[in-house]
Amino acid sequence: MGFSLSRAVLRRGLATFALAASALSAASSVQAQGQERWELNAGHEVCVVGLGAEPVLPGISRVNVVGACGGALRNLAGYSVERDGHTIMFYAISGGTPTQVARVDLEQPGVYVGMIGDGDGLTMVQQGMQQTGPGPSAGPRTCVPYYGTSECAAPQDLGVPASTNQFAYEVWLQPVVNLNLRAMPGLDGAKMGSVERICVQADECRPQTDGAIWCSMMMGSVPVWFLKQDRAAVYAKVPDACG
């Protein structure tokens, strides 16, 4: 009799445990469904984040990192949505102060492209969607902004800048963000250094098939390239004055 009672108690206990486990799984599923999951791809760094609605600072909501993000993305803590959803800013937060670490702009539904603060390209794709290349956006793009702002770039800062030398191509440009210098035009070019927000003299600006414009300058005796503009933003402008 005692043995039969013990088995009955055990069966009830297992049933209770199974019910609790099922409830916990359902709750986790509902929580996951209530938050958009996105894959951030910075080339050598890939991570998944959840964009929640919980505010961490005025105008900034919490980023929940699934697993871990490395490199310049390792301190992601918050995000903000700008320009009616066409732009997403990512922030690190220290002592209640936000620092922008990346920006992406809508390329097509479910796909954003942009840059991390160190100049590397960044793609953000909503999980469950495939990036198929340029396509119609979710709304009209009214302007191409300067990187890190919502200010529309001036007409003289769009496209290949006009040369200031009638005998050879030459133009002064000023980055609006620290930019990587690469051995060839393209984000796959080897990094050769970086340039800060100072005036630089470009001796060539070359448009690419993906809509990007890369300009070359000399680093000592070595020609290097920096990204002036892409579909998402303008990274270097024609300054009012240099020197």
Side-chain angles (χ1 to χ4, degrees):
M1 181 69 175
F3 177 76
S4 177
L5 178 62
S6 297
R7 293 193 61 180
V9 171
L10 178 60
R11 283 197 298 270
R12 286 198 298 270
L14 290 174
T16 301
F17 175 79
L19 182 61
S22 176
L24 178 60
S25 176
S28 298
S29 176
V30 170
Q31 184 179 23
Q33 290 173 7
Q35 188 175 98
E36 292 183 350
R37 296 290 180 92
W38 298 77
E39 180 180 284
L40 299 178
N41 189 328
H44 57 286
E45 296 288 347
V46 179
C47 64
V48 175
V49 299
L51 303 184
E54 178 188 355
V56 290
L57 288 173
I60 298 178
S61 299
R62 184 179 303 280
V63 170
N64 295 307
V65 178
V66 180
C69 293
L73 300 175
R74 65 185 180 277
N75 294 322
L76 283 185
Y79 76 99
S80 64
V81 178
E82 313 288 342
R83 301 174 61 234
D84 296 325
H86 284 77
T87 298
I88 296 178
M89 306 284 199
F90 288 101
Y91 303 90
I93 299 175
S94 177
T97 301
T99 300
Q100 183 184 325
V101 296
R103 168 189 174 136
V104 290
D105 293 272
L106 185 68
E107 180 73 10
Q108 64 185 66
V111 179
Y112 287 73
V113 295
M115 288 183 69
I116 310 175
D118 63 4
D120 279 339
L122 178 65
T123 301
M124 185 176 84
V125 180
Q126 189 171 10
Q127 285 197 329
M129 299 191 67
Q130 298 293 325
Q131 184 177 1
T132 57
S137 67
R141 289 291 297 271
T142 57
C143 73
V144 179
Y146 295 111
Y147 178 81
T149 76
S150 58
E151 178 186 357
C152 296
Q156 68 267 22
D157 293 327
L158 298 173
V160 175
S163 175
T164 56
N165 186 328
Q166 61 177 326
F167 301 107
Y169 188 88
E170 180 181 285
V171 64
W172 287 95
L173 293 172
Q174 184 174 17
V176 299
V177 63
N178 294 353
L179 293 175
N180 284 330
L181 299 174
R182 298 184 181 273
M184 57 184 291
L187 294 175
D188 54 347
K191 291 183 184 178
M192 304 294 288
S194 63
V195 61
E196 298 182 353
R197 305 177 194 186
I198 59 174
C199 291
V200 296
Q201 190 177 57
D203 52 31
E204 182 181 0
C205 286
R206 184 184 300 177
Q208 307 294 301
T209 57
D210 62 359
I213 297 174
W214 289 79
C215 296
S216 69
M217 57 176 281
M218 299 300 295
M219 187 172 68
S221 59
V222 179
V224 292
W225 295 82
F226 61 90
L227 180 61
K228 175 199 173 286
Q229 176 186 339
D230 60 18
R231 289 191 181 99
V234 169
Y235 306 99
K237 64 180 181 179
V238 177
D240 294 330
C242 284

